[in-house]
Amino acid sequence: RKSIAVNLSDIAAMGGIPLYALVCAGLPEGITKKDISQLIRGLKNMAERFNLDIVGGNLTKSKHLFIDVSIIGKVEKKHLKLRSGAKAGDLIFVTGTLGGSRLKKHLTFTPRINEAREIIKTVPVSAMMDISDGLSTDLTRLAKASNAGFKIYLEKLPFSKDAVKISKNREELIYHALNDGEDYELVFTIPEKYRDKIPERVLSVPLTCIGEIVKEKIYTGVYGGRTVNIQPAGYSHF
């Protein structure tokens, strides 16, 4: 399920619609028919939910189990969203809640395919991407791609119940929301003049304004009246 979902999240991040998937798997000796049936059920569940056709792939024997997925999607030119379009003064929004994903969410999250499409139809989104490696890391990537900086209001971050569960104090809670990663929510920007056009929820998922894009290439957060530097401290692939 997760192997499909993480790829669907990338399609959602650009406002797209998934079409086709290739699935390659390495199966270790000792894997049972029941194990394989469960794998297929997870793939099928996500594919059917988002009208995705699994059109091929490859199976091989492997020392360790692995699943490798490639997805092809499409997006209308008017709906295409990149991470490079944010402008100074744009407001920063996120979908859902953040942090604590390791307790459960990283296996159970819903890719925001439908939510992204609905948001884009509602307001002129200037930039968008998904939060896979942590808000601190991915928002920095968006700002750099847009040749800008950001200021976020740390007390306005939407904290998940799991983040609250694993945090001893407010500072820890903010840390988890910024850096845990694998939330697979969307972070997006809109021009400030459209603030009143943004609904509180889209398809039952909450939308929260957490800050703004600034002209200077600085990455800061405001907490308790203090301004602090935000360092990309989410997951690093290398």
Side-chain angles (χ1 to χ4, degrees):
R1 182 189 185 284
K2 182 176 180 180
S3 65
I4 292 283
V6 296
N7 286 275
L8 288 172
S9 186
D10 284 332
I11 299 292
M14 299 182 76
I17 300 170
L19 296 175
Y20 313 113
L22 297 174
V23 179
C24 299
L27 306 179
E29 288 187 22
I31 194 168
T32 67
K33 288 184 178 180
K34 181 179 179 180
D35 294 331
I36 294 173
S37 294
Q38 290 175 333
L39 288 172
I40 292 172
R41 187 162 66 247
L43 295 168
K44 186 179 178 182
N45 171 270
M46 295 304 293
E48 290 181 346
R49 185 170 179 179
F50 291 98
N51 298 314
L52 174 70
D53 291 326
I54 298 177
V55 296
N58 186 58
L59 291 176
T60 187
K61 186 168 71 173
S62 173
K63 184 177 180 180
H64 302 287
L65 173 68
F66 71 81
I67 306 171
D68 182 42
V69 176
S70 298
I71 292 182
I72 294 174
K74 69 176 182 178
V75 62
E76 306 89 337
K77 187 174 182 180
K78 65 180 180 179
H79 289 157
L80 173 64
K81 299 303 170 185
L82 306 177
R83 62 181 69 178
S84 56
K87 299 289 190 295
D90 286 358
L91 302 178
I92 303 167
F93 281 80
V94 294
T95 61
T97 58
L98 306 176
S101 56
R102 68 174 183 263
L103 292 188
K104 181 174 64 175
K105 185 180 178 180
H106 77 103
L107 293 173
T108 62
F109 72 91
T110 299
R112 299 304 188 194
I113 295 283
N114 298 325
E115 290 80 4
R117 300 283 294 180
E118 195 67 25
I119 292 166
I120 290 167
K121 292 175 183 177
T122 303
V123 291
V125 172
S126 53
M128 185 165 66
M129 64 183 297
D130 66 335
I131 305 171
S132 56
D133 297 329
L135 178 66
S136 65
T137 295
D138 290 323
L139 183 54
T140 298
R141 288 171 177 156
L142 185 150
K144 286 183 175 180
S146 297
N147 200 31
F150 63 76
K151 176 171 65 176
I152 55 179
Y153 303 101
L154 299 174
E155 294 174 343
K156 292 187 177 182
L157 294 177
F159 307 110
S160 73
K161 292 180 180 178
D162 286 335
V164 173
K165 188 181 299 183
I166 61 177
S167 301
K168 297 177 182 177
N169 52 51
R170 194 72 171 176
E171 286 72 23
E172 278 193 17
L173 185 57
I174 290 171
Y175 180 87
H176 286 300
L178 284 174
N179 303 313
D180 279 355
E182 294 212 275
D183 287 306
Y184 294 101
E185 297 292 350
L186 298 172
V187 56
F188 63 96
T189 59
I190 66 166
E192 197 278 336
K193 65 181 179 179
Y194 294 101
R195 177 194 291 268
D196 294 337
K197 299 290 186 180
I198 281 279
E200 292 184 1
R201 291 177 176 270
V202 59
L203 302 180
S204 78
V205 175
L207 304 179
T208 306
C209 181
I210 63 167
E212 60 187 275
I213 298 294
V214 298
K215 184 177 181 180
E216 300 80 11
K217 296 176 186 178
I218 55 175
Y219 318 110
T220 62
V222 178
Y223 176 67
R226 296 184 299 111
T227 298
V228 297
N229 291 324
I230 301 295
Q231 299 293 334
Y235 180 75
S236 175
H237 294 263
F238 302 101

